[in-house]
Amino acid sequence: MTSVALDIGGTWTRVGSAARFRTDPDYDRQLAAIAAAVPPGPEPAGVSFCGRVTPDGTVRVALNLRGYEERPLARDLAEALDRPVRVAHDATCGLLGEATSGALRGVERCGYLTLSTGVGAALRLGGVCLTTEAGHQLVAGNDLPCECGQTGCLQTLTGGDALRRRLGRPLESVEDVSFWRAYTGSLALGVANFALSAGLEAVAIGGAIALRRAKLWPALRAELARVATYQPVEVVPAALGEAAPLEGARALPSLPAGAVLH
């Protein structure tokens, strides 16, 4: 049976290719908006969500949607949509999409980073996908406070929302060469540490920041080649683009329980 795919991001929500609207920080209004956008039917729904969830789909941590924390998202959506619902972190869904039909097909040890409102990460070892907190790895010399409560997270240097607040303008409007040089250096170290932590062969990067800035890629690959000399890692754009989390969400309902570790 085919599945309905939803992607609830920190800024935008997508319902397959049919609907796109701003994510409402009010949990109940968001549920109502989703229910209005999903056509009735018996198909199960897979949901990509911009935060950590428990195996039963309860929101554990959502730094960009604090009002969703501790809410039983999978259960509430199942009631609102009258169908089975399975939820996973958006980076895990992006990884699933790229591993099944994108840039990571055939790679046993691989990872996915999403550079968007925040920085999400997931890795795949064999047939198991694992949500990680690589976006909150600590960067030496970084004294910027993060919304998670730590000081010095990678996300403060590479996440869209953190940079928008610090710079006072959207990241897409920044063209300063020195800024992007520093951004690429931080990102390269983050990718290298992420890959080394699990012996990853390849990392796909998705999210609006990475996919809409072509100049980032040559500089990132050059910097990775410079710093990752012990275990080189291939870094590639997400072949499915911003649709990667949706494709992974579509696959969620058919996966065995042990295939995704939250």
Side-chain angles (χ1 to χ4, degrees):
M1 181 181 290
T2 58
S3 303
V4 175
L6 293 88
D7 178 22
I8 304 174
T11 304
W12 296 99
T13 292
R14 290 178 294 168
V15 179
S17 59
R20 180 177 184 264
F21 51 89
R22 282 200 171 272
T23 300
D24 197 317
D26 183 278
Y27 181 79
D28 293 322
R29 288 200 304 259
Q30 174 73 2
L31 289 180
I34 291 173
V38 176
E43 302 89 351
V47 181
S48 164
F49 179 70
C50 62
R52 297 294 295 267
V53 298
T54 62
D56 69 357
T58 297
V59 178
R60 289 173 53 197
V61 180
L63 296 180
N64 297 302
L65 295 169
R66 288 294 198 182
Y68 290 43
E69 292 179 345
E70 304 304 324
R71 303 297 292 267
L73 181 61
R75 188 192 72 190
D76 289 345
L77 278 175
E79 291 179 359
L81 301 177
D82 193 26
R83 69 183 75 214
V85 172
R86 189 171 179 185
V87 182
H89 193 282
D90 58 357
T92 299
C93 289
L95 174 61
L96 280 168
E98 291 296 322
T100 55
S101 55
L104 299 174
R105 281 177 296 180
V107 183
E108 289 295 302
R109 305 179 74 94
C110 57
Y112 179 88
L113 278 175
T114 177
L115 302 174
S116 189
T117 306
V119 179
L123 58 85
R124 180 174 182 262
L125 304 177
V128 178
C129 292
L130 171 66
T131 303
T132 80
E133 292 290 2
H136 295 281
Q137 60 182 279
L138 300 177
V139 179
N142 177 15
D143 60 0
L144 296 170
C146 182
E147 285 184 301
C148 74
Q150 294 187 149
T151 296
C153 291
L154 176 67
Q155 180 162 294
T156 65
L157 302 172
T158 55
D161 202 44
L163 288 168
R164 177 189 57 78
R165 290 195 302 270
R166 180 151 59 91
L167 298 172
R169 54 182 170 139
L171 195 55
E172 56 266 27
S173 69
V174 179
E175 293 298 335
D176 181 76
V177 173
S178 62
F179 168 84
W180 285 107
R181 185 181 300 117
Y183 184 99
T184 302
S186 298
L187 179 59
L189 287 174
V191 171
N193 289 334
F194 177 46
L196 285 165
S197 68
L200 304 181
E201 304 165 52
V203 174
I205 302 181
I209 296 173
L211 298 175
R212 296 177 187 175
R213 190 166 189 87
K215 293 178 182 178
L216 183 70
W217 291 95
L220 175 59
R221 290 189 174 112
E223 186 64 10
L224 264 176
R226 187 184 73 81
V227 299
T229 57
Y230 173 65
Q231 179 188 293
V233 58
E234 182 183 8
V235 60
V236 294
L240 302 177
E242 295 184 51
L246 276 173
E247 287 304 308
R250 199 181 309 279
L252 266 181
S254 62
L255 294 177
V260 176
L261 299 181
H262 300 274

